[in-house]
Amino acid sequence: MTLIDVFTIAPGERAVAVGEVVASSTAEFVAWHPSGGELADLGPINELIATHPNADVIYPDEWSGHGRHRVHVRRPDFSPERLRNQFFFGRPVFYRRDFLAGIGGISSVHRGAEDYELALRASRTARSIVHAPVALYNPGVTGIAPLDDGAQESTRRALQEHLDLTGGGRVVAVGADGVHDTRRPVVGEPLVSIVIPTRGIFDTQAEDATSHLLTAIRSILELSTYTNVEFVIVMDDVAEQSILDEVARLLGERLRLVMWRKPFNFSEKINLGVIRARGEYVLILNDDVQILTPDWIESLLALAQRPGAGMSGAMLYYEDNSIQHAGHAYYEGDASHIGLDTPRGASGPLSGYRVEREVSGVTAACAMMPISVFHEAGGMSNLLPGNFNDVDLCMKVTGLGYEIYWTPHAELYHFESKTRDASVHGFEAHLLYSRWGFRMNDHRYWPYAHSRKPTPSGETPW
């Protein structure tokens, strides 16, 4: 039996053409791509099939340009939640022929979205979907055409069908550029405990003395559409009495005040706050933030409720409207924020700043998790009082087999470290890398090198 058959499909009745060539094949895997593209040697796919006997679907990277201008267009490993927002597989996609036949082949009723609908359908039953991190295909000058009205409607139907079969949700928008906005639902109305560690003092460096804590609380109360929350405020004993009084006035019965009388330790303060929390979900939040989107809690909670979810995180901006955090990435021993210093509104590599997706970690400046997962992971490490405690927590959460998600739909300003000394101590870095150095090169969901100012395309030169 031939291992792989790859067919070139001309424009037209795509489902019919694909169905005919697949029916004529006796190969173990089949794939197809549009005319006009360039396909590289299939040797890496042959090797991958041999080492992944349960793979039912394999998708590769692409390249663009030629010679010195050739760039490797990298794709993330299989990410089910990202797939409902974007067909990130690229071309061609290799399907085990028997598996493809078993799920009904390519659809004839999703014209213009046939390949995407097939990938969504395959993702629901495939034993394994494997990413081949090799640049195998160059789409040429044609690239990917924008979706016309018919293709957008087909995509909308395919996405809604997929959501209905995988836990529910709604299609908010279908983009002509292939980037879509779909939202998972919040199940029930569980109590969310917002845990905020704070010194409770005024910022005397500002032109007019302000309290970042009060700014954060007011923005939550004024904007948030999710109301079943309690506030666990872990307050230093040096707090200003006027701030204490105003917090009590603003929050009333929703306030659980916990006083802190020891030297600063962010981790220990969070742990103490979670112990006092009554909610089913805990939302760890810095005191130097300001809410921008009314449904930020719903966006975080919907992901934190996904089966197997461990954490969810938000899009954070600096005061100058540049991105501070679009997820954590761990690359060649370095822990960094995705999107750092990129202008607000940028798309990012493969439009990654625009879609909900799996990530390796999120910042504790704004992170939601089931309180049961927090306890199972052992909470935050008191040995990391100021820095890397969120990286350590994420490593523990994913080490337990839970998934971490990030959403661009929960947006906040983060006036980073306005209320504490942000110095990184050598012992913190040493402890982090002694624990997790072997996992600090995680390319699964963000296969791009770190940069203070990433290129808009995110493409990495060969």
Side-chain angles (χ1 to χ4, degrees):
M1 177 187 291
T2 304
L3 188 59
I4 303 173
D5 273 341
V6 182
F7 304 97
T8 300
I9 302 297
E13 293 293 335
R14 189 170 185 78
V16 173
V18 170
E20 289 176 350
V21 296
V22 170
S24 69
S25 174
T26 59
E28 187 173 351
F29 279 80
V30 292
W32 53 91
H33 63 86
S35 55
E38 180 182 356
L39 189 67
D41 180 78
L42 296 180
I45 303 299
N46 292 330
E47 295 174 5
L48 195 147
I49 291 171
T51 56
H52 292 76
N54 290 326
D56 287 326
V57 183
I58 301 170
Y59 64 95
D61 292 344
E62 294 181 357
W63 85 87
S64 64
H66 295 279
R68 290 183 303 162
H69 303 290
R70 179 171 171 142
V71 292
H72 186 156
V73 183
R74 301 182 186 276
R75 304 192 178 271
D77 282 3
F78 179 52
S79 308
E81 292 303 299
R82 182 169 186 164
L83 187 62
R84 65 174 167 84
N85 294 295
Q86 178 187 44
F87 182 38
F88 63 84
F89 280 8
R91 295 168 292 187
V93 180
F94 298 82
Y95 288 93
R96 190 178 295 274
R97 188 170 55 85
D98 291 345
F99 170 76
L100 181 61
I103 63 172
I106 195 167
S107 170
S108 60
V109 298
H110 292 87
R111 188 167 183 176
E114 297 95 340
D115 288 347
Y116 191 11
E117 189 278 335
L118 177 59
L120 290 167
R121 185 157 30 101
S123 72
R124 300 195 288 266
T125 57
R127 293 174 298 171
S128 177
I129 297 179
V130 178
H131 168 224
V134 291
L136 199 71
Y137 182 75
N138 182 353
V141 295
T142 56
I144 299 176
L147 302 179
D148 60 24
D149 291 346
Q152 288 184 56
E153 180 55 33
S154 292
T155 299
R156 180 181 295 275
R157 287 190 288 106
L159 286 170
Q160 192 60 62
E161 291 168 6
H162 179 71
L163 291 169
D164 292 344
L165 291 168
T166 58
R170 61 191 175 94
V171 181
V172 176
V174 173
D177 61 353
V179 180
H180 317 302
D181 181 0
T182 69
R183 309 288 180 96
R184 290 296 189 183
V186 171
V187 181
E189 194 178 358
L191 178 64
V192 174
S193 297
I194 304 176
V195 178
I196 306 177
T198 184
R199 285 183 60 79
I201 60 176
F202 289 104
D203 178 12
T204 57
Q205 301 301 314
E207 291 184 7
D208 53 336
T210 59
S211 164
H212 289 286
L213 173 65
L214 294 179
T215 298
I217 291 174
R218 289 185 181 120
S219 72
I220 295 170
L221 296 176
E222 292 168 5
L223 281 181
S224 301
T225 52
Y226 192 88
T227 57
N228 192 21
V229 300
E230 66 172 7
F231 291 78
V232 184
I233 310 295
V234 185
M235 185 90 72
D236 285 11
D237 60 1
V238 299
E240 303 278 356
Q241 187 61 48
S242 60
I243 292 178
L244 280 164
D245 293 342
E246 182 65 3
V247 168
R249 187 191 71 80
L250 289 170
L251 299 181
E253 294 182 355
R254 286 185 286 182
L255 172 63
R256 294 179 68 79
L257 184 63
V258 182
M259 297 308 297
W260 177 261
R261 296 178 174 85
K262 297 194 292 184
F264 172 79
N265 188 313
F266 180 88
S267 298
E268 197 170 354
K269 292 178 80 171
I270 292 295
N271 291 340
L272 180 59
V274 174
I275 288 172
R276 300 292 181 88
R278 296 175 294 185
E280 186 179 348
Y281 292 85
V282 59
L283 175 49
I284 302 168
L285 193 67
N286 275 20
D287 65 349
D288 55 350
V289 300
Q290 183 177 337
I291 310 308
L292 296 173
T293 46
D295 61 349
W296 69 292
I297 294 178
E298 292 94 327
S299 297
L300 292 166
L301 181 56
L303 292 175
Q305 289 184 317
R306 295 296 298 152
M311 299 176 74
S312 59
M315 169 70 91
L316 304 182
Y317 303 110
Y318 288 119
E319 195 169 2
D320 65 359
N321 276 311
S322 61
I323 294 174
Q324 188 254 330
H325 178 80
H328 274 170
Y330 312 128
Y331 188 85
E332 295 183 352
D334 181 31
S336 184
H337 298 286
I338 293 170
L340 200 60
D341 291 339
T342 303
R344 182 176 178 178
S347 289
L350 208 67
S351 298
Y353 306 157
R354 298 169 56 195
V355 292
E356 292 187 334
R357 51 184 163 77
E358 289 81 350
V359 289
S360 298
V362 292
T363 177
C366 180
M368 183 178 289
M369 57 194 307
I371 199 166
S372 59
V373 174
F374 184 92
H375 289 307
E376 184 182 354
M380 287 192 154
S381 173
N382 295 346
L383 299 177
L384 294 167
N387 297 283
F388 304 126
N389 35 50
D390 48 6
V391 177
D392 180 74
L393 180 60
C394 291
M395 289 289 183
K396 291 188 289 188
V397 167
T398 54
L400 289 169
Y402 294 103
E403 200 66 72
I404 300 178
Y405 301 105
W406 174 86
T407 176
H409 307 307
E411 298 178 89
L412 300 83
Y413 281 125
H414 180 207
F415 311 112
E416 188 175 34
S417 302
K418 291 286 188 180
T419 56
R420 71 171 180 89
D421 178 6
S423 302
V424 176
H425 301 288
F427 74 87
E428 293 175 313
H430 177 75
L431 178 61
L432 177 74
Y433 290 100
S434 65
R435 282 183 176 180
W436 305 113
F438 68 103
R439 291 181 56 193
M440 296 296 290
N441 195 29
D442 185 353
H443 296 184
R444 293 174 301 156
Y445 302 133
W446 198 257
Y448 313 107
H450 292 172
S451 170
R452 289 296 297 186
K453 294 187 180 297
T455 60
S457 68
E459 296 173 341
T460 305
W462 272 2

